């Protein structure tokens, strides 16, 4: 994972990184977002941690090519700091990110209870649900190597909860497969990297059921992330198991929305994720474009 998140810093407030493929021939959006928040983190006081990020995907990136991340300081207050990042490739803007950072404060702490889920050790390392999840990811992408994913069987992929009421619901355990350094900024970036892996598919499944389409989203739909937001509630380690519970309440007008919560194995709520995705049925062509499952 260190190699995946590596950034060069050739000039002040400027970082370079190379992003992996998501769908064939397309850069993985979660990798670009992870690099962007890590670049922003490198420009703030180490005592501050990211507590929220809001990003917009502007154009398709090319995998295995350098991306330039330009960080702009918007605010450095007593507690909060705000940064804006623009990601460019070959001069084209790919992604913009606004990220907010803060110092730790002593305050009352509360959160809702984690929903029930089987322990990840009780789930198979390989399953049809996992194969469907990976179906839109380039087989050569390092995502498959660095992220360990175990979907909870019986959820949306298998015709489970939410389908009959217009929504989609899915639970999935994930972790970075190798040990990581203790740097909280790296763990926040790694969580960002993983957060973009499955939310688009959850929105897409509702669309497939609504239209009566069979097959996987990668086979039938054109998907691309439009925007992505994360609120980091508490620190966590991305190399420990995290439960990602996501729900897609709606799709329509060529878009789908998914919201999710991330929990530690011991039941601590660490993050909330929202994403809107472009969602279109494929046109029949002799040479269809590759699907993008960010």
């Amino acid at each position: 994972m260190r190699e995946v998140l590596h950034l060069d810093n050739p000039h002040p407030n400027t970082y370079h990184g190379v992003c992996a493929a998501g769908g064939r021939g397309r850069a993985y959006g979660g990798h670009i977002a992870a690099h962007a928040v890590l670049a922003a983190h490198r420009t703030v006081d180490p005592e501050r941690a990211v507590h929220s990020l809001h990003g917009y995907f502007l154009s398709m990136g090319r995998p295995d090519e350098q991306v330039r991340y330009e960080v702009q300081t918007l605010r450095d207050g007593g507690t909060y700091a705000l940064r804006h990042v623009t990601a460019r490739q070959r001069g084209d803007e790919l992604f913009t990110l606004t990220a907010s950072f803060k110092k730790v404060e002593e305050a009352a702490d509360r959160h809702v209870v984690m929903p029930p889920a089987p322990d990840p050790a009780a789930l198979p390392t390989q399953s049809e649900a996992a194969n469907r999840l990976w179906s839109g990811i380039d087989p050569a992408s390092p995502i498959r190597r660095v992220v360990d994913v175990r979907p909870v069987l019986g959820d949306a992929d298998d015709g489970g909860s939410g389908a009959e009421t217009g929504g989609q619901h899915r639970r999935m355990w994930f972790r970075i497969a190798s040990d990581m350094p203790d740097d909280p900024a790296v763990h926040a970036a790694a969580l960002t990297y993983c957060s973009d892996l499955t939310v688009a598919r959850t929105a897409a499944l509702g669309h497939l059921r609504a239209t009566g389409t069979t097959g996987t989203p990668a086979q039938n739909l054109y998907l691309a992330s439009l925007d992505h937001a994360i609120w980091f509630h508490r620190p966590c380690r991305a190399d420990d198991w995290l439960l990602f519970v996501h729900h897609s309440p709606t799709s329509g007008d060529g878009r789908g929305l998914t919201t999710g919560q991330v929990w530690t194995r011991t039941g601590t709520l660490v993050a909330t994720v929202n994403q809107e995705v472009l969602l279109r049925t494929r046109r029949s062509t002799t040479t269809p474009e590759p699907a993008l499952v960010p």
Side-chain angles (χ1 to χ4, degrees):
M1 192 63 185
R2 297 188 189 204
E3 179 184 345
V4 169
L5 292 179
H6 176 75
L7 286 171
D8 293 320
N9 182 205
H11 308 290
N13 299 326
T14 301
Y15 297 82
H16 293 165
V18 176
C19 288
R24 288 182 177 85
R26 302 184 179 213
Y28 172 49
H31 200 169
I32 295 173
H35 269 162
V37 72
L38 189 58
H41 223 305
R42 296 305 188 217
T43 69
V44 302
D45 188 322
E47 292 184 359
R48 304 178 199 257
V50 62
H51 73 88
S52 69
L53 63 84
H54 300 260
Y56 283 89
F57 294 92
L58 307 179
S59 60
M60 181 186 72
R62 301 173 180 84
D64 303 320
E65 291 189 19
Q66 187 181 89
V67 178
R68 176 186 176 97
Y69 299 90
E70 301 165 356
V71 184
Q72 179 185 3
T73 298
L74 301 182
R75 182 175 186 266
D76 274 324
T79 301
Y80 288 84
L82 194 64
R83 297 291 187 268
H84 180 78
V85 184
T86 302
R88 305 177 191 272
Q89 189 178 64
R90 297 187 182 182
D92 297 328
E93 290 191 11
L94 302 181
F95 179 71
T96 64
L97 176 87
T98 302
S100 184
F101 303 80
K102 72 180 299 290
K103 294 180 180 179
V104 175
E105 298 182 57
E106 294 294 331
D109 190 85
R110 66 169 179 84
H111 61 74
V112 295
V113 176
M114 184 175 78
D119 189 85
L123 296 172
T125 56
Q126 295 182 334
S127 65
E128 289 187 14
N131 290 339
R132 286 194 293 274
L133 187 152
W134 290 117
S135 65
I137 301 296
D138 190 322
S141 175
I143 301 170
R144 295 171 177 262
R145 170 175 50 84
V146 302
V147 183
D148 191 352
V149 174
R150 298 191 188 180
V152 175
L153 306 181
D155 281 357
D157 259 358
D158 300 297
S161 57
E164 66 282 353
T165 57
Q168 288 300 127
H169 178 78
R170 191 203 315 239
R171 295 165 295 169
M172 177 191 77
W173 290 98
F174 72 88
R175 67 177 176 182
I176 299 301
S178 58
D179 291 340
M180 296 175 58
D182 293 333
D183 186 351
V186 175
H187 286 272
L191 192 155
T192 302
Y193 182 90
C194 297
S195 72
D196 196 29
L197 183 60
T198 59
V199 285
R201 283 185 59 90
T202 302
L205 289 166
H207 181 84
L208 290 177
R209 285 202 172 89
T211 57
T213 306
T214 59
T216 68
Q219 293 169 336
N220 295 283
L221 300 174
Y222 180 88
L223 303 174
S225 301
L226 294 173
D227 60 13
H228 197 76
I230 305 177
W231 292 264
F232 299 86
H233 309 306
R234 295 165 186 85
C236 70
R237 291 193 65 93
D239 51 0
D240 289 339
W241 284 112
L242 296 169
L243 178 67
F244 197 4
V245 180
H246 26 85
H247 172 69
S248 178
T250 183
S251 64
D253 188 37
R255 297 170 293 129
L257 178 69
T258 298
T259 184
Q261 295 174 316
V262 181
W263 308 80
T264 67
R265 197 171 184 175
T266 56
T268 300
L269 178 64
V270 295
T272 297
V273 179
N274 280 343
Q275 184 181 90
E276 189 171 50
V277 61
L278 183 147
L279 184 59
R280 292 174 180 160
T281 303
R282 285 178 172 279
R283 296 186 180 91
S284 297
T285 62
T286 54
T287 54
E289 295 184 23
L292 172 62
V293 180

